[in-house]
Amino acid sequence: MFKKLSNHKNMDNWLNTLRAGVLGANDGILTVVGVLFSVAAATTNSFTIFIAGLSDLLACAFSMSAGEFASVSSQRDTEKSVVGQESLLLNTQFEDEKERVVRFYEEKGVHHDTAQSIANELLSQKDRALATIVNIKYGMNLNNYLNPWQAAVSSLFSASSGGVFPLVAMTFAPAGYQLIATIMAVLVAVTLTGYLSARLGNGIPKRAIIRNIVVGIITMFIHYYVGKLF
């Protein structure tokens, strides 16, 4: 049962990472297209538009990556603190910790005597006891902490990949069709991120897609007319 709980938690972490990646891609799409439309409304110079879009893509990607690194580093520190606290409790309040394990298995339908035997077995060795307590109380796997570098690289890649859609469309579309091509690229991209986010989060794809499309259209509309003001 302990192994099944660990596998379930690992799957949850993997799905959360995927959802974060999809959301990062969506942010990259909207951030870059916002800058592109603002600049394109103010100037027709293709090189200026491209440099503005590329600069924003890089800034968005590195900003999100740095933010994710800081956030996950904080979570990692919290996880290590929790492990330290539980290690202390095992040394000072062993019977209370043992009772917590017994109750856990009883809540799963295990008979009290059997739950006692399982607790005795799991807590018989120090390292195994700490791993058991941490997993049961917090759903964590001992020494399997969140990796801030992995999160940062994932965020960097996802935001960059999202921003590429409008940047490529605006850069390589024929003269006079850049805005139309970019709008189409953005609508396709946010449809994809909306669908994926709904599937990964057990949501309703149609609702998520419509929401993303509406937000994308509003973003392009606002930034285009902001550019027109200048």
Side-chain angles (χ1 to χ4, degrees), residues 176-189:
Y177 294 94
Q178 290 98 331
L179 292 180
I180 294 297
T182 304
I183 291 172
M184 296 303 298
V186 168
L187 293 182
V188 169

Side-chain angles (χ1 to χ4, degrees), residues 26-49:
N26 200 66
D27 287 344
I29 295 165
L30 297 181
T31 301
V32 172
V33 76
V35 170
L36 286 173
F37 267 55
S38 293
V39 177
T43 180
T44 57
N45 188 299
S46 298
F47 183 73
T48 299
I49 297 172

Side-chain angles (χ1 to χ4, degrees), residues 3-71:
K3 185 175 181 180
K4 288 181 178 179
L5 288 171
S6 300
N7 290 338
H8 179 70
K9 186 64 179 179
N10 287 336
M11 180 58 69
D12 286 343
N13 288 335
W14 174 241
L15 290 177
N16 285 333
T17 301
L18 288 177
R19 281 193 289 269
V22 171
L23 294 176
N26 200 66
D27 287 344
I29 295 165
L30 297 181
T31 301
V32 172
V33 76
V35 170
L36 286 173
F37 267 55
S38 293
V39 177
T43 180
T44 57
N45 188 299
S46 298
F47 183 73
T48 299
I49 297 172
F50 170 75
I51 290 299
L54 180 61
S55 298
D56 184 69
L57 185 152
L58 294 174
C60 174
F62 280 101
S63 175
M64 292 187 64
S65 179
E68 193 70 14
F69 181 85
S71 175

Side-chain angles (χ1 to χ4, degrees), residues 72-88 130 134 138 140-148:
V72 174
S73 293
S74 178
Q75 293 180 54
R76 182 186 178 93
D77 292 341
T78 300
E79 290 178 344
K80 289 185 175 181
S81 176
V82 164
V83 172
Q85 291 173 7
E86 290 304 322
S87 179
L88 178 62
L130 183 57
V134 167
Y138 302 99
M140 292 168 47
N141 295 328
L142 188 62
N143 296 324
N144 186 21
Y145 303 113
L146 293 172
N147 188 330

